[in-house]
Amino acid sequence: MQILNGNQVAKIIKEQISENVKKLNEKGYRNPHLTAILVGNDGASKTYVNSKEADCKQVGFNSSVFRFEQDITEDFLIEKIKEINQNPEIDGLIVQLPLPKHISELKVTQTINPEKDVDGFHSMNLGKLMKGEDTFIPATPFGILMMLEIYNINTSGKHCVVVGRSNIVGRPMSILMSQNSKFGNCTVTICHSRTQNLEKYLKEADIIIAALGKPEFVKANMVKEGAIVIDVGITRVEDKNNEKGYVLKGDVDFENVKNVVSAITPVPGGVGPLTRIGLLKNTYKSYLKSQNIEGFE
Ligand code: GUN
C-alpha cells in the first residue's frame, strides 16, 4: 500500500516554480502576482487565504489580499473585481468562496476576467475544460491530476467513481478523468447525495475520488481490494483535546481503508497541498501569457 504524499509532491513543484521565477527575474521580468479577495470572517476561508499568501512568498510570487466585511454590497465587490481585472500588474484573481448569502457567487465568478481566473470557475474556462481546450483547470482537480502523474498511476480503462458533483471539484474532475489523455481515459461514474446504493458503486470502483464533505464516510467495507482512493474531503471536526479545538478529517476512514487499498491520500497532507499548487501553477501560467514569455513551462 502506497501513501500518496501531497506535501512531498508540492515541495518538488514549488522548487521548480521558484527556480523558474528566479531565472525570469534575472532576465528582467517582474514577479507573478496573485490577488485574493476575502469577504467576511469564515475561519476556514481565512486559513486558506493565509496559506495561499505563504505559498506565494515561498515561490517568489507577489501576493495581495483584499479583506472586506461581511456586509459589503454585491455592487461594491463587482466594482473591485473590475478594477483588478484592469490592473496589468496582477496575473491571477481569486474570490474566496463561500460568499455571504446576499452576494451571487455566479455573478462574481462571471465578472472575473477569464484570463485572470486562476480558480478556473468562469463558465468560459469550464467550457474550455469540457471541450479539452487549454484552460485554467480548477485547483483541486489540477492538483489531483498532478498527483496521478507524479505517482505514474495508470488510469486508462479503469472505473473511476467520483463522489460529489460540485462545480469546484466533482464535476470538473469527472470530465477530466473521462478525457482522452494520459491520466484520464477512465470509465467515470459520478455519484451524489441522491445516488441510490452508493456503496454498490464504490465497491465497483478501481479509483475513488471522494469529494462529498462528510467526514470518514467511506469505510473499508465499501472499497474494493487494491483500489486507489483520493480523498478530497477536509472537514473541521470538534476535538476538545486538540489545542485548536478541532481536527481535520477527510471523507475516507483512512485508518481502516488504508489496509484494503493499493494507494491512498491522507488528510491532511494529501490533496490539500496539491490544491494550493494548482493555484500557483495557474497563476504562473497566466503570468507567462501576460508577459509573453516563451520557452518556460
Ligand atoms: N473555497 C473552497 N475551495 C475554494 C477554491 O478552490 N477557490 C475559492 N476561490 N474558494 C474556495
Side-chain angles (χ1 to χ4, degrees):
M1 187 274 302
Q2 185 170 37
I3 306 259
L4 306 171
N5 185 333
N7 284 320
Q8 218 164 23
V9 175
K11 187 163 174 275
I12 296 167
I13 298 174
K14 273 186 184 165
E15 278 165 5
Q16 287 169 356
I17 299 176
S18 178
E19 263 175 43
N20 283 348
V21 171
K22 262 193 216 128
K23 282 187 197 150
L24 286 162
N25 282 159
E26 281 160 16
K27 287 176 181 281
Y29 290 101
R30 68 162 172 80
N31 297 342
H33 185 161
L34 173 67
T35 290
I37 295 181
L38 176 62
V39 183
N41 272 312
D42 179 69
S45 290
K46 278 194 209 167
T47 308
Y48 291 146
V49 169
N50 289 342
S51 310
K52 287 167 187 170
E53 268 195 297
D55 287 338
C56 283
K57 211 174 200 172
Q58 267 185 11
V59 297
F61 288 9
N62 295 339
S63 69
S64 46
V65 182
F66 291 87
R67 293 182 170 84
F68 298 121
E69 299 294 331
Q70 182 84 8
D71 60 358
I72 58 161
T73 64
E74 185 179 274
D75 285 349
F76 175 87
L77 182 58
I78 297 284
E79 280 314 305
K80 204 73 219 172
I81 293 169
K82 286 182 179 166
E83 272 172 37
I84 297 168
N85 281 346
Q86 304 280 336
N87 186 337
E89 298 295 315
I90 295 174
D91 306 295
L93 167 62
I94 62 159
V95 178
Q96 188 64 35
L97 304 177
L99 287 167
K101 294 222 163 13
H102 66 282
I103 299 178
S104 157
E105 288 187 356
L106 179 64
K107 200 165 166 193
V108 164
T109 48
Q110 292 302 92
T111 303
I112 296 173
N113 175 355
E115 303 220 328
K116 296 190 181 187
D117 171 37
V118 287
D119 260 331
F121 294 167
H122 192 289
S123 303
M124 186 186 285
N125 288 323
L126 283 171
K128 284 184 176 175
L129 179 137
M130 214 209 82
K131 290 181 75 183
E133 291 176 26
D134 187 40
T135 185
F136 295 118
I137 300 172
T140 301
F142 194 8
I144 293 170
L145 290 187
M146 282 188 257
M147 173 96 88
L148 295 172
E149 186 173 352
I150 285 183
Y151 282 96
N152 203 18
I153 290 173
N154 177 19
T155 55
S156 184
K158 300 284 166 67
H159 183 197
C160 175
V161 173
V162 178
V163 192
R165 56 181 162 183
S166 73
N167 290 329
I168 297 182
V169 184
R171 203 175 300 275
M173 200 68 236
S174 67
I175 292 165
L176 291 162
M177 295 308 287
S178 72
Q179 261 174 11
N180 184 1
S181 60
K182 187 158 181 220
F183 297 95
N185 281 321
C186 284
T187 302
V188 177
T189 302
I190 181 156
C191 298
H192 46 76
S193 52
R194 303 286 175 93
T195 298
Q196 292 180 5
N197 216 346
L198 173 59
E199 292 176 24
K200 166 180 160 290
Y201 294 105
L202 287 173
K203 195 82 189 178
E204 287 172 358
D206 302 309
I207 301 170
I208 294 174
I209 301 180
L212 67 161
K214 289 192 182 163
E216 299 187 328
F217 178 88
V218 178
K219 305 286 185 210
N221 64 357
M222 302 177 190
V223 177
K224 182 163 80 175
E225 205 164 319
I228 291 160
V229 176
I230 312 279
D231 188 352
V232 183
I234 183 155
T235 308
R236 291 179 173 195
V237 175
E238 196 180 302
D239 183 349
K240 294 209 170 69
N241 296 325
N242 189 289
E243 62 182 47
K244 287 184 178 157
Y246 64 85
V247 286
L248 295 176
K249 293 274 181 205
D251 288 344
V252 176
D253 176 10
F254 179 83
E255 279 311 314
N256 294 305
V257 173
K258 76 178 188 331
N259 302 320
V260 181
V261 298
S262 61
I264 185 168
T265 61
V267 175
V271 172
L274 287 171
T275 292
R276 287 158 52 188
I277 294 295
L279 189 63
L280 291 179
K281 289 271 263 190
N282 279 341
T283 305
Y284 179 65
K285 179 186 173 108
S286 171
Y287 159 79
L288 292 180
K289 194 162 175 220
S290 78
Q291 304 304 298
N292 293 313
I293 297 168
E294 286 178 359
F296 277 76
E297 268 188 18

